[in-house]
Amino acid sequence: MAEKILIIDDDLDTLRLVGLMLQKQGYSIMAASSGAQGLQMALESPPDLVLLDVMMPGMDGYEVARQLRANHLTVNTPILMFTAKSQLDDKVTGFEAGADDYLTKPTHPSELQAHVKALLARSSKVKVNPPTGPAEQSGYLIGVIAARGGLGATSVSANLAVSLQKNLDTSVILAEFRPGQGTLAYDLNLTKASGLVELLSMAQPNQITRNDVKDRLLYHASGVDILVASPQPKDAILQSRLEHYEVILNRLRFMSKFIVIDLGAGLGPLAQKLTPAFNELLIIVEPFEQSLQHSRAMIDDLVALGIDKTRLHVVVNYRLRSEAQLSVPQVQDRLKFAIDVTFTPAPELLLQAVRLQTMAYLVQQESLTNQQYTNLASKIETRAPRAASS
């Protein structure tokens, strides 16, 4: 079987040219255009060698190397740092972060091939004892998104989070990634709504530590920890801080068994940047013709972005009682996509939850809505057996 090399570099030309060159040498190539994406790919399918750039926005190569070394799946994976940073201090930092070799760009293809071959040969001969310490487990990332606003993405996110916590008796984090448009602070009567804004306002994304994120989580009586987005419209300008979001998402990944992220509506730059990192995406749709056209277009766009269809799951939200709504078979026919779960209308329950400033799931334990969320939580548990059972 061909040895597998993961190339992590934000320069698409480097990804393409180096990837093709190594493919011609008989290697199997995986490619990631960001540190967070590369780390996810390495943990999901550990490579035989990582070819790692240093200067990347968001999570740089040093941080990627440190996290690869901190995980039992990749603690012994050879890392070749391939970068334009040529100063002695840069190389020392690279080796201290966990690199096995360091090669400066530009270099001749034959030199790169020689370094790759030597590292792979060395690693195949070394017998390494298994790690004795506890292994750090990556959580299961669930993104909730809709083609347009008003379809209930936040409501689904919140109720799914508490359903996962109650049914699986495990740690769950709920996060709004919508600064300036947050609603959980009002909906749940949370005392502080500046957590996400504080993280996004840090000067450099790499300054954001796991403790920084932990300190901004609010504990809710449901048992779910929440990272709240500001409801102040002016804070929407922080949507552009893509590298900060990428780092925050990666920090959250290692802080809980399940992480539910409310991505809001549309496929703007932020959603396009982050969606490849999620283990699964719940696409919230409503059963009306025009809305379904937007949802169908979103599914097509996500697939075009490289998201595997098996990671996309459609949730039909029947928010209203109306004869104009399409039936479930009609919705599925319009979307040309399987439906994962359906939520039937429950306006009285939702109104009661608003009055009590809590999640609808917590209001009536025997409601049909509870059963539907419990069904969704069970399906997610089967899709994430390692995350749910560890």
Side-chain angles (χ1 to χ4, degrees):
M1 183 179 294
E3 290 168 302
K4 183 166 54 179
I5 297 175
L6 170 60
I7 306 172
I8 307 175
D9 199 314
D10 64 330
D11 186 319
L12 298 183
D13 288 336
T14 298
L15 284 179
R16 181 175 59 84
L17 295 174
V18 174
L20 287 173
M21 182 267 290
L22 292 174
Q23 272 186 329
K24 290 180 180 179
Q25 298 299 312
Y27 299 112
S28 174
I29 301 300
M30 302 161 60
S33 59
S34 71
Q37 182 187 25
L39 184 63
Q40 178 192 355
M41 294 175 68
L43 298 181
E44 290 180 349
S45 180
D48 296 298
L49 181 143
V50 176
L51 189 60
L52 179 61
D53 185 28
V54 171
M55 296 185 293
M56 295 183 290
M59 184 187 301
D60 64 20
Y62 300 137
E63 179 63 16
V64 174
R66 293 186 191 101
Q67 295 205 29
L68 289 172
R69 289 291 174 252
N71 194 287
H72 75 289
L73 296 173
T74 52
V75 64
N76 298 310
T77 302
I79 299 174
L80 171 55
M81 282 194 167
F82 183 47
T83 174
K85 294 177 74 68
S86 59
Q87 298 299 313
L88 177 60
D89 288 347
D90 299 325
K91 295 182 180 181
V92 171
T93 302
F95 286 119
E96 289 178 344
D100 297 279
D101 199 357
Y102 198 104
L103 195 57
T104 303
K105 298 177 183 178
T107 188
H108 194 277
S110 60
E111 183 179 11
L112 175 58
Q113 293 168 19
H115 280 254
V116 168
K117 186 175 181 180
L119 272 180
L120 288 170
R122 190 186 312 158
S123 67
S124 66
K125 294 178 182 178
V126 176
K127 302 296 183 180
V128 182
N129 294 325
T132 57
E136 186 173 40
Q137 177 68 50
S138 172
Y140 193 78
L141 285 177
I142 304 165
V144 182
I145 193 169
R148 61 186 190 184
L151 303 190
T154 300
S155 177
V156 171
S157 299
N159 285 284
L160 171 60
V162 71
S163 176
L164 287 167
Q165 197 282 323
K166 297 301 182 186
N167 285 284
L168 306 184
D169 190 25
T170 190
S171 59
V172 179
I173 291 175
L174 168 65
E176 290 180 297
F177 271 21
R178 304 187 299 121
Q181 303 173 13
T183 60
L184 289 177
Y186 294 150
D187 293 346
L188 303 179
N189 193 29
L190 300 173
T191 57
K192 184 179 180 182
S194 59
L196 179 64
V197 166
E198 290 175 6
L199 295 172
L200 294 174
S201 299
M202 289 188 176
Q204 297 295 328
N206 284 339
Q207 293 177 345
I208 303 171
T209 67
R210 199 177 301 182
N211 282 335
D212 289 327
V213 178
K214 182 179 179 180
D215 289 343
R216 278 132 180 113
L217 294 178
L218 299 179
Y219 178 78
H220 188 261
S222 64
V224 174
D225 290 311
I226 305 177
L227 182 62
V228 182
S230 164
Q232 293 298 125
K234 65 179 178 61
D235 291 328
I237 193 172
L238 295 171
Q239 284 275 8
S240 63
R241 310 211 77 178
L242 305 185
E243 292 80 9
H244 286 67
Y245 276 103
E246 197 169 26
V247 173
I248 294 167
L249 187 65
N250 190 64
R251 299 289 185 261
L252 289 170
R253 175 191 292 278
F254 293 96
M255 294 173 62
S256 184
K257 299 295 177 64
F258 291 92
I259 306 94
V260 181
I261 307 292
D262 176 11
L263 293 169
L267 269 181
L270 176 61
Q272 292 189 42
K273 180 76 170 178
L274 296 183
T275 46
F278 286 90
N279 297 102
E280 67 173 76
L281 289 169
L282 300 183
I283 303 171
I284 312 302
V285 307
E286 65 176 357
F288 295 100
E289 285 283 3
Q290 189 178 39
S291 181
L292 289 172
Q293 291 176 18
H294 288 157
S295 299
R296 175 66 254 182
M298 169 172 275
I299 292 172
D300 291 340
D301 286 343
L302 287 167
V303 172
L305 287 172
I307 310 299
D308 193 305
K309 286 185 177 180
T310 60
R311 291 159 59 191
L312 304 179
H313 303 277
V314 171
V315 174
V316 186
N317 194 9
Y318 283 84
R319 297 179 300 117
L320 308 171
R321 296 189 179 107
S322 171
E323 294 182 357
Q325 295 179 132
L326 299 175
S327 66
V328 172
Q330 288 174 319
V331 170
Q332 188 160 294
D333 180 67
R334 301 301 194 277
L335 291 177
K336 308 299 181 187
F337 209 88
I339 294 172
D340 202 47
V341 69
T342 298
F343 293 119
T344 50
E348 296 85 0
L349 177 63
L350 294 174
L351 181 59
Q352 190 175 359
V354 169
R355 289 172 176 167
L356 295 174
Q357 294 183 303
T358 188
M359 292 88 157
Y361 187 89
L362 299 173
V363 175
Q364 295 180 16
Q365 294 185 357
E366 303 302 322
S367 68
L368 178 58
T369 297
N370 273 43
Q371 296 175 29
Q372 291 163 343
Y373 275 105
T374 297
N375 179 37
L376 179 56
S378 298
K379 288 186 175 183
I380 290 174
E381 181 184 17
T382 63
R383 296 194 286 258
R386 287 182 298 175
S389 61
S390 60

